[in-house]
């Protein structure tokens, strides 16, 4: 159960992150056999560009070590929620680490936090939340899609974090969270988050809490902010954060030699002969640089955060 | 008296929020809390639930002591002050200095007489000849702008990493190396900080923001070694947050020099130069993939020339006032008399208070002055009311940290220092376990490019240098757009994983 806490060696049933190269990372469940497409149990052999890997051979290996395969090798990494986000099976569009990071910090999550999440989706954010609120917190996660809700619950259980989460098949926009004053934070990633706002308010503790709504479309954001204000949420903040990665390289640039006089052998009309050109260039320079990748994520979604103040007491 | 959750208590730290202005204060009864020009009667705040919003009522007189009253909702005057008419657009609006009949002196008079913010803003609006000629949106904007100046609502919040880091960043980003909140949040996930884990954080010059952030995520489970260079470790953010003693027990501080005594860097090392790693010459996107496949990358280029004489690089700040001992209370940098005036450059600040340091001087009560004197005279940890909350003495701390690091099995390595990180990163990598992540924050990109190649030479994988683009939005009906000003940058991060490259044949252990 390698998601629960760090371990040093691979055991049967673990999820191992197999790293071949930056574009080839896979999450593998360590088992002797695996069900194939026809539904039969077959030996668990994972095919890669570097050859085949008998998955059961991973058992006993130290996490972080190299794994030999027929045409090369890979690394067996210990899973983390961040690596899981990069390798999990997508059942929906997921949240990536830059947004997840901001959510965890802005919702002030820490061990002991009680969180409501709707929808569960593919469980990308859920795993990050679980890591952050364990061992004393709890995650209530909801999805209106029955199969997704069930698959997520199975995954949580297989990953050893089932005790910290309750996954429910429920439409929170129509039916609410069925929770009263228990949550420190609520996270909404829904088509109509504004419908869930009053239920979110009910689920949050009387001592107040934080809320986040993630929406790709600005219309959703506008309606949500409107609803948040109407229900007494304060400190509204809507933002976008996009991560920009740099290609780090040592670039070699040729340098034009300005000190040399142009040759005066009569060909002053600017005819370029290769030898003349080469003579005008100095020894090339090596430049250590990081340039952005040619494309970068332009938009994931707008994050709206707000605070629910504590309920007024009737004292003094 | 209170239904749920903690109440605002005497002697604890809180973040007071007034509009976009944030201030950290330790609330003490029989004292006032300075907020810009005015001061708030603390007694009126105590006992109410943390997070409560208060309306400030003017006490009148030159002293401007405000009396807080808890409220359920704050008022947005733009909704309350409706004009009889407004224009469709601004075609007839003339810009001149004569449209406002109220003078500054008259407004000050009103304030002293105890007029509410609403009364003042209403008067200003009524005395504006151009108000009716503005569009509806423009009127609302005008009222909100005036409201900001005479805004009389505050909220009292529990200091969390989110609020403390945002506050420091707003006050002066350079004080925390331009570590913006989103960058901070990414450092925590890049190192996969989890409760129960063991983390090594080298931080200097960041007001202990990263230390506090990791500590918050540990929540009393696991351990954090705060490595510092010379003098005493910074404690600002750690002290700002009301950590329990259980949570603080997870933190131990260790001087880098002490660590080096027990685990010397290679003594034959030369001064740090740009990394000697070979140019990859590969195609852009797969630079790393290419390198992974080459045989050269297999060999662990244990680069002795990379290890350096660290003593040359350290900023050796002389230890302040001798060696403070018990409980590390003397190590702490206490909040100046509980009154740290932080401004957002807003309207409320008079010229006299624009320099935060000067303002702090002005508003210090006698107790604060005494505490400053005690620190300056180099006396021991404060006694009496300020009980030491640190579990161990400085020596015990160092010992604990050394023991933990000696196992060389840390779960995460985080660097956030003012010094060039490359030699520090090379040196500290040995304390990180395999299959564990590291992250380095730097306000500049270039040092991280060097670190990238240095870590590549060490055989690390998943190396990534990133920055984040962050933009806030104004969301209002018919007026939604990105905010006019945005942050230009929030620093850069290098992250990666340490692995073991001695080829391990998939040995079957059955």
């Amino acid at each position: 159960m390698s998601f629960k806490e760090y371990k040093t060696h691979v055991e049967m049933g673990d999820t191992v992150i197999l790293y071949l190269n930056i574009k080839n990372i896979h999450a593998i469940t360590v088992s002797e056999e695996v069900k194939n497409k026809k539904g039969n149990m077959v030996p668990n052999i994972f095919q890669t560009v570097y050859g085949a890997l008998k998955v059961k051979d991973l058992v006993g290996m130290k996490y972080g070590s190299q794994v030999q395969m027929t045409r090369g090798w890979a690394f067996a990494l210990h899973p983390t929620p961040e690596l899981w986000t990069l390798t999990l099976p997508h059942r929906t569009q997921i949240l990536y680490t830059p947004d997840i990071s901001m959510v965890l910090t802005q919702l002030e999550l820490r061990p002991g936090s009680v969180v409501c999440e709707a929808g569960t989706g593919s469980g990308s954010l859920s795993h990050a939340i679980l890591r952050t609120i364990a061992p004393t917190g709890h995650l209530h996660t909801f999805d209106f899609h029955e199969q997704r809700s069930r698959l997520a619950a199975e995954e949580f259980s297989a990953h050893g974090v089932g005790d910290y989460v309750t996954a429910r098949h429920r439409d929170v926009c129509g039916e609410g969270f069925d929770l009263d004053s228990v949550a420190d934070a609520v996270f909404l990633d829904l088509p109509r988050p504004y419908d869930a706002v009053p239920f979110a308010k009910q689920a949050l503790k009387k001592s107040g809490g934080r809320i986040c709504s993630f929406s790709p479309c600005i219309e959703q954001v506008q309606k949500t902010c409107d609803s948040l204000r109407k229900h007494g949420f304060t400190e509204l903040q809507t933002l976008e954060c996009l991560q920009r990665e740099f290609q780090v390289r040592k670039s070699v640039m040729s340098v034009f030699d300005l000190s040399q006089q142009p040759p005066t052998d009569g060909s002053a009309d600017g005819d370029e002969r290769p030898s003349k050109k080469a003579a005008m260039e100095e020894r090339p320079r090596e430049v250590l640089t990081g340039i952005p990748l040619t494309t970068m994520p332009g938009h994931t979604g707008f994050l709206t955060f707000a605070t629910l103040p504590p309920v007024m007491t009737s004292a003094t | 008296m209170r239904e749920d959750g903690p109440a605002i208590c005497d002697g604890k730290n809180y973040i007071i929020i007034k509009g976009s202005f944030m201030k950290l204060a330790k609330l003490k009864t029989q004292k006032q809390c300075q907020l810009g020009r005015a001061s708030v009667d603390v007694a009126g705040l105590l006992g109410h639930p943390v997070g409560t919003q208060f309306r400030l009522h003017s006490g009148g007189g030159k002293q401007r002591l405000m009396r807080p009253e808890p409220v359920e909702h704050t008022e947005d005057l733009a909704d309350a002050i409706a004009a009889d008419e407004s224009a469709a657009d601004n075609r007839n609006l003339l810009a001149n200095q004569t449209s406002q009949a109220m003078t500054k002196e008259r407004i000050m008079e009103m304030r002293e007489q105890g007029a509410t913010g609403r009364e003042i803003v209403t008067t200003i609006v009524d005395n504006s000849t151009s108000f009716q000629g503005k569009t509806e949106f423009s009127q609302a904007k005008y009222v909100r702008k005036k409201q900001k100046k005479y805004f009389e609502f505050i909220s009292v919040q529990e200091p969390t990493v989110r609020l403390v880091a945002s506050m420091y960043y707003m006050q002066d980003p350079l004080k925390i190396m331009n570590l913006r909140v989103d960058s901070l949040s990414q450092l925590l996930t890049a190192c996969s900080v989890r409760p129960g884990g063991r983390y090594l954080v080298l931080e200097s010059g960041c007001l202990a923001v990263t230390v506090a952030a990791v500590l918050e995520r540990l929540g009393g489970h696991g351990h954090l070694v705060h490595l510092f260079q010379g003098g005493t470790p910074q404690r600002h953010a750690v002290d700002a947050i009301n950590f329990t003693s259980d949570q603080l027990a997870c933190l131990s501080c260790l001087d880098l020099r002490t660590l080096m005594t027990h685990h010397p860097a290679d003594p034959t090392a030369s001064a740090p130069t740009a990394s000697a790693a070979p140019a990859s010459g590969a195609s852009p996107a797969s630079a790393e993939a290419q390198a992974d496949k080459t045989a050269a990358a297999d060999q662990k280029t244990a680069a002795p020339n990379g290890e350096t004489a660290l003593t040359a690089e350290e900023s050796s700040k002389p230890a302040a006032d001798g060696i403070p001992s018990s409980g590390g209370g003397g190590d702490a940098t206490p909040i100046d008399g509980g009154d740290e005036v932080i401004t957002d450059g807003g309207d409320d600040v008079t010229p006299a208070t624009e320099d935060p340091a000067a303002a702090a001087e002005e508003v210090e009560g006698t107790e604060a002055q005494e505490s400053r004197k005690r620190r300056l005279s180099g006396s021991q940890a404060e006694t009496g009311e300020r009980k030491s909350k640190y579990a161990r003495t400085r020596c015990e701390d160092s010992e604990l940290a050394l023991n933990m690091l000696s196992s060389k099995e840390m779960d995460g390595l985080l660097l956030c220092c003012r010094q060039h990180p490359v030699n520090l990163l090379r040196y500290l990598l040995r304390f990180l376990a395999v299959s564990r992540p590291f992250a380095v924050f730097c306000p500049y990109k270039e040092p991280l490019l060097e670190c990238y190649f240095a870590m590549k030479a060490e055989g690390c994988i998943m190396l990534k240098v990133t920055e984040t683009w962050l933009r806030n939005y104004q969301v209002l009906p018919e007026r939604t757009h990105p905010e006019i000003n945005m942050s230009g940058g929030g620093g850069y991060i290098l992250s990666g994983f340490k692995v073991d490259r001695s080829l391990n044949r998939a040995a079957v252990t059955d």
Side-chain angles (χ1 to χ4, degrees), chain B residues 380-435:
Chain B
Q380 295 302 324
E382 300 165 51
T383 53
E385 156 185 0
R386 178 177 269 282
K387 207 166 52 130
S388 165
K389 50 185 173 171
Y390 299 104
R392 295 170 287 270
T393 64
R394 205 178 187 185
C395 284
E396 287 168 356
D397 236 29
S398 291
E399 214 177 287
L400 177 63
L402 274 171
N403 282 339
M404 181 141 305
L405 290 178
S406 298
S407 66
K408 301 198 176 166
E409 291 283 322
M410 300 307 277
D411 293 318
L413 170 63
L414 209 158
L415 258 74
C416 183
C417 56
R418 290 191 186 269
Q419 290 77 21
H420 197 298
V422 74
N423 58 347
L424 293 164
L425 182 57
R426 276 207 199 94
Y427 172 61
L428 293 173
L429 194 66
R430 72 195 64 188
F431 299 105
L432 187 63
V434 290
S435 188

Side-chain angles (χ1 to χ4, degrees), chain A residues 42-103:
Chain A
V42 295
N44 191 353
I45 298 182
F46 188 72
Q47 296 291 348
T48 76
V49 292
Y50 299 148
L53 169 70
K54 285 198 199 120
V55 174
K56 68 178 169 89
D57 291 350
L58 289 171
V59 176
M61 287 188 65
K62 187 170 184 192
Y63 276 110
S65 57
Q66 279 175 299
V67 178
Q68 182 69 59
M69 290 177 295
T70 29
R71 290 190 298 280
W73 39 259
F75 289 98
L77 293 178
H78 195 291
T80 64
E82 289 68 41
L83 290 172
W84 179 248
T85 289
L86 295 173
T87 54
L88 62 87
H90 285 216
R91 303 185 277 273
T92 59
Q93 175 59 280
I94 66 168
L95 246 70
Y96 290 94
T97 301
D99 288 317
I100 291 174
S101 310
M102 198 58 160
V103 170

Side-chain angles (χ1 to χ4, degrees), chain B residues 7 33 63 66 93 120 149 179 193 205 340 464 495 506:
Chain B
C33 176
Q63 211 189 16
M66 313 285 269
L93 219 51
I120 295 176
K149 198 164 175 177
L179 178 64
V193 176
E340 209 176 2
K464 211 164 118 158
S495 60

Side-chain angles (χ1 to χ4, degrees), chain A residues 178-200:
Chain A
D178 192 25
L179 292 168
D180 226 298
S181 312
V182 297
D184 297 295
V186 173
F187 177 82
L188 304 174
D189 179 1
L190 300 166
R192 286 189 282 270
Y194 37 91
D195 286 342
V197 167
F199 298 122

Side-chain angles (χ1 to χ4, degrees), chain B residues 299-357:
Chain B
Q299 290 180 24
K300 191 170 182 179
T301 47
N305 60 324
E307 311 292 6
T308 68
L310 281 166
T311 45
E313 306 311 309
E314 282 170 45
S315 69
S316 30
K317 228 172 59 175
D321 318 317
I323 319 281
S325 66
S326 59
D331 287 349
T333 334
I335 300 151
D336 292 283
D339 278 38
E340 209 176 2
V341 181
I342 296 127
T343 74
D344 62 343
D347 300 334
D348 214 7
V349 181
T350 61
T353 55
E354 252 156 42
D355 173 11

Side-chain angles (χ1 to χ4, degrees), chain A residues 3 16 21 27 31 59 71 75 94 131 141 167 173 181 185 211 213 215 280 292:
Chain A
F3 273 91
V16 171
N21 57 50
S31 61
V59 176
R71 290 190 298 280
F75 289 98
I94 66 168
R131 178 268 318 274
T141 186
C173 290
S181 312
I211 190 169
S213 177
S215 294
M280 298 287 279

